[in-house]
Amino acid sequence: MKPVASVSLDLDNLWAYLRTHGDPRWESRPSFLPSAVPRLLDVFGEHRLTTTVFVVGADAERDDGAEAVASMTAAGHEIANHSFWHQPWLHRFSDEDVEKEVLRAEEAIMAAGAPKPVGFRGPGYSVTPALLDVLRRRGYSYDASVLPTWIGPLARAYHNRSAGSTDGGEDLFGGFGKVRAPNTAYRWRDGLVELPVTTMPLLRVPIHGAYLLQLHQVSPRLARGYFRTALRLCLLRKVSPSLLLHPTDVLSGAEAPGMEFFPGMAVPGAEKVALLGWVLSSLRRHFDVVGTGAHVERIANSALRERDPVACG
């Protein structure tokens, strides 16, 4: 029997990227969901995959976001919580404001027709003990916010250099210490399961869409070799990968105006779709691929290591 792996999609919208980047155009709330969602559904359908979609509450309240939630739910995908305003500095919020972010997004997702979410991912891989406490009290079964890598400060430096504003950017994406976080599922001492976004075993470098596309922009052969190496290491190290996708993984630069700063946006949309199809085929060749919620259910009775919530940083 194949080992389990999972695929999730952070349904971050154009306005959210622009806001984090300090671009005032975000205030008009531009959206690329009408272009991205049908394309993503087609790719998932072609590969017979049901995934987990982490939805931003502010989008679930608008027509195109609610339509995305409805279509994803109808196709069998799990809908999970990705906060209400998608502010990557969630870790700086007061306990009260963290709870408001979770609850308001939860209500918006349910109002759009999805079941009450049981999974959460913090924007910008942001997780704190206060957040975990809220999730436990709200009856969530898992969090998927941790990215166990050392490149956070480098990504932050790139972001701050290219952004129009550095509001909240001084501690964006975490520090080098995140490399010490486990690269496999574990359980917080309050009982909540953490399913990290998998990075390449041993090297601890990201393997999800934006990074593959940046390599693809340099050399398609390099990108594919990089991902093949990651899968081989996952098999050798017995890591059940949790692969993260974004709408930008299928969109051209022209379909995401203002995002020229983002990695891989010079790659044409058709090439992106082809690369994503190859990635999903490669993953399915070696693993039984499900969504993050199903992944957690499959491993929930395993002897997961425990970690203290104070070790979130």
Side-chain angles (χ1 to χ4, degrees):
M1 189 171 70
K2 293 179 182 178
V4 67
S6 57
V7 170
S8 64
L9 168 69
D10 283 4
L11 201 62
D12 306 342
N13 207 348
L14 177 56
W15 65 264
Y17 286 101
L18 297 180
R19 182 182 191 178
T20 300
H21 199 62
D23 189 327
R25 286 177 289 180
W26 84 269
E27 294 177 6
S28 66
R29 304 279 294 279
S31 174
F32 49 39
L33 297 186
S35 298
V37 171
R39 205 168 296 171
L40 287 160
L41 282 170
D42 284 347
V43 174
F44 295 151
E46 180 183 343
H47 291 273
R48 303 183 302 282
L49 290 179
T50 50
T51 66
T52 296
V53 184
F54 289 88
V55 172
V56 176
D59 280 315
E61 284 191 343
R62 54 190 285 170
D63 289 346
D64 59 352
E67 185 177 337
V69 170
S71 59
M72 291 287 189
T73 301
H77 302 284
E78 176 193 15
I79 305 298
N81 190 331
H82 198 31
S83 80
F84 189 82
W85 278 117
H86 195 275
Q87 293 174 287
W89 40 90
L90 189 67
H91 51 282
R92 300 172 60 191
F93 282 23
S94 68
D95 292 1
E96 181 181 1
D97 286 341
V98 167
E99 185 156 13
K100 287 178 181 176
E101 276 286 303
V102 173
L103 182 56
R104 191 175 175 190
E106 183 181 300
E107 291 172 342
I109 287 167
M110 294 171 67
K116 180 182 180 295
V118 297
F120 182 89
R121 176 171 289 139
Y125 315 106
S126 183
V127 59
T128 64
L131 171 63
L132 296 174
D133 182 59
V134 169
L135 298 180
R136 178 186 55 77
R137 288 190 282 106
R138 295 295 307 164
Y140 283 65
S141 60
Y142 71 92
D143 178 73
S145 302
V146 174
L147 179 69
T149 185
W150 49 268
I151 72 157
L154 303 182
R156 180 167 62 247
Y158 172 82
H159 169 271
N160 290 346
R161 187 172 64 251
S162 61
S165 166
T166 58
D167 181 30
E170 61 271 16
D171 53 0
L172 203 61
F173 309 132
F176 289 112
K178 282 200 170 183
V179 74
R180 296 193 298 271
N183 201 23
T184 55
Y186 53 95
R187 195 181 299 277
W188 297 108
R189 292 196 187 279
D190 62 6
L192 198 72
V193 172
E194 182 67 41
L195 185 65
V197 176
T198 305
T199 55
M200 190 179 295
L202 301 178
L203 298 179
R204 292 298 186 96
V205 288
I207 61 175
H208 57 273
Y211 297 88
L212 287 179
L213 285 165
Q214 189 70 358
L215 291 175
H216 180 86
Q217 200 166 294
V218 176
S219 165
R221 180 177 295 181
L222 176 62
R224 294 187 181 215
Y226 180 87
F227 191 70
R228 285 193 195 99
T229 299
L231 293 186
R232 289 192 192 103
L233 287 173
C234 284
L235 289 166
L236 286 170
R237 305 288 294 181
K238 300 188 185 309
V239 172
S240 295
S242 180
L243 182 67
L244 170 61
L245 307 176
H246 289 91
T248 49
D249 295 343
V250 296
L251 295 174
S252 67
E255 295 170 303
M259 285 191 61
E260 297 79 10
F261 64 90
F262 197 74
M265 293 312 294
V267 179
E271 281 188 38
K272 288 186 172 186
V273 170
L275 178 62
L276 176 57
W278 176 85
V279 164
L280 295 177
S281 293
S282 299
L283 190 65
R284 290 194 67 212
R285 191 173 303 121
H286 301 289
F287 297 92
D288 182 13
V289 184
V290 297
T292 51
H295 191 160
V296 169
E297 288 178 4
R298 291 270 290 269
I299 62 174
N301 295 323
S302 306
L304 299 178
R305 74 177 82 181
E306 284 194 346
R307 194 165 186 242
D308 198 308
V310 299
C312 289

